[in-house]
Amino acid sequence: MWGAQGGNCFSSQAPRDNNAIAIGGKGGYSIGKDQMSMGVSIYVCVGGKGGYAPNENTDGSRGYNGGGLGDSDGATAWGGGGGCTSITSSNNGTLNNFYSITNNILIVAGGGGGSGEYIDGPNAGGVGGGVTGGDGQGQNPGRAGTQTNGGANALEGNLVFGTASGFGYGGNFNGSHFGSGGGGGYYGGGCGYTHGSSAGGGSGYVNTSKLTDASTIAGNTSFPSPTGGTETGHAGNGWATISLIR
């Protein structure tokens, strides 16, 4: 299964940019085997690719299943975070609803962080997936989600910007300026800040008490593509494939 990509950033802020695009962080990959009995149900929640904010003081669309919000100053449209893809043993919806019932989570593929562009940009978003996702880039980036904590939001001096990331969701940018949204994951990535810094990616997760031959891989690594062959990080919406092994 594959996490979703973070949102791209579109800019006409300065002549040198010429509508350049900063690319959202790629999603990660997770795989595992589960021995199941007849009649047992599992529930799949596929992450959505992060969007962008087209107008001043509007929020960029977050990717479904935990992507954080980006923002816009009207000239630069910052990326929202990509959502994670999760498979669970109970029907509780998106991953953030499983905080008190984590044993019902089978596997998670982390989503990538939103991208940014301005003074020190363009900067691609941090990749999703793996035990720890990827940090954002730039002067004031969001940090990656881990197995125990959401990634820290952008920091400038003693000021921390945005709404914190956490279990199942990336950080939202809601400062007085504009920034990018963190990727969703087992723990989400932190948001990026104004100068062009990008957001962190969310972590992946495998429940080794229930799965065998399980692993979670970050989006800066080559792994199988859902359409055949291999890819380094997953672009676009998330994806899930379930195969019967006899």
Side-chain angles (χ1 to χ4, degrees), residues 130-209:
V131 174
T132 300
D135 289 337
Q137 303 176 21
Q139 296 179 25
N140 306 100
R143 301 301 179 182
T146 70
Q147 295 297 289
T148 55
N149 291 287
N153 281 353
L155 176 67
E156 185 173 45
N158 294 322
L159 297 175
V160 179
F161 292 89
T163 303
S165 60
F167 179 84
Y169 59 91
N172 300 313
F173 189 87
N174 62 352
S176 58
H177 300 286
F178 44 96
S180 51
Y186 188 65
Y187 278 89
C191 68
Y193 175 55
T194 303
H195 294 299
S197 304
S198 58
S203 60
Y205 170 77
V206 291
N207 188 336
T208 55
S209 70

Side-chain angles (χ1 to χ4, degrees), residues 100-117:
S100 61
I101 49 172
T102 55
N103 199 46
N104 291 1
I105 303 168
L106 299 177
I107 191 167
V108 178
S115 57
E117 199 289 326

Side-chain angles (χ1 to χ4, degrees), residues 1-167:
M1 53 190 283
W2 297 260
Q5 183 181 11
N8 295 335
C9 175
F10 299 86
S11 176
S12 57
Q13 183 71 16
R16 68 178 177 85
D17 299 330
N18 194 28
N19 293 314
I21 299 175
I23 302 300
K26 299 290 183 66
Y29 174 74
S30 295
I31 188 171
K33 297 178 182 178
D34 185 15
Q35 184 171 343
M36 300 178 64
S37 302
M38 289 286 291
V40 173
S41 297
I42 57 174
Y43 302 88
V44 182
C45 193
V46 177
K49 185 181 185 296
Y52 64 94
N55 301 305
E56 186 172 3
N57 297 322
T58 61
D59 293 328
S61 59
R62 66 181 86 197
Y64 181 72
N65 204 12
L69 293 171
D71 206 349
S72 174
D73 69 342
T76 306
W78 292 58
C84 64
T85 297
S86 55
I87 299 179
T88 59
S89 61
S90 61
N91 188 14
N92 293 77
T94 53
L95 187 64
N96 61 296
N97 296 318
F98 287 82
Y99 180 75
S100 61
I101 49 172
T102 55
N103 199 46
N104 291 1
I105 303 168
L106 299 177
I107 191 167
V108 178
S115 57
E117 199 289 326
Y118 189 49
I119 297 170
D120 72 343
N123 287 304
V127 299
V131 174
T132 300
D135 289 337
Q137 303 176 21
Q139 296 179 25
N140 306 100
R143 301 301 179 182
T146 70
Q147 295 297 289
T148 55
N149 291 287
N153 281 353
L155 176 67
E156 185 173 45
N158 294 322
L159 297 175
V160 179
F161 292 89
T163 303
S165 60
F167 179 84

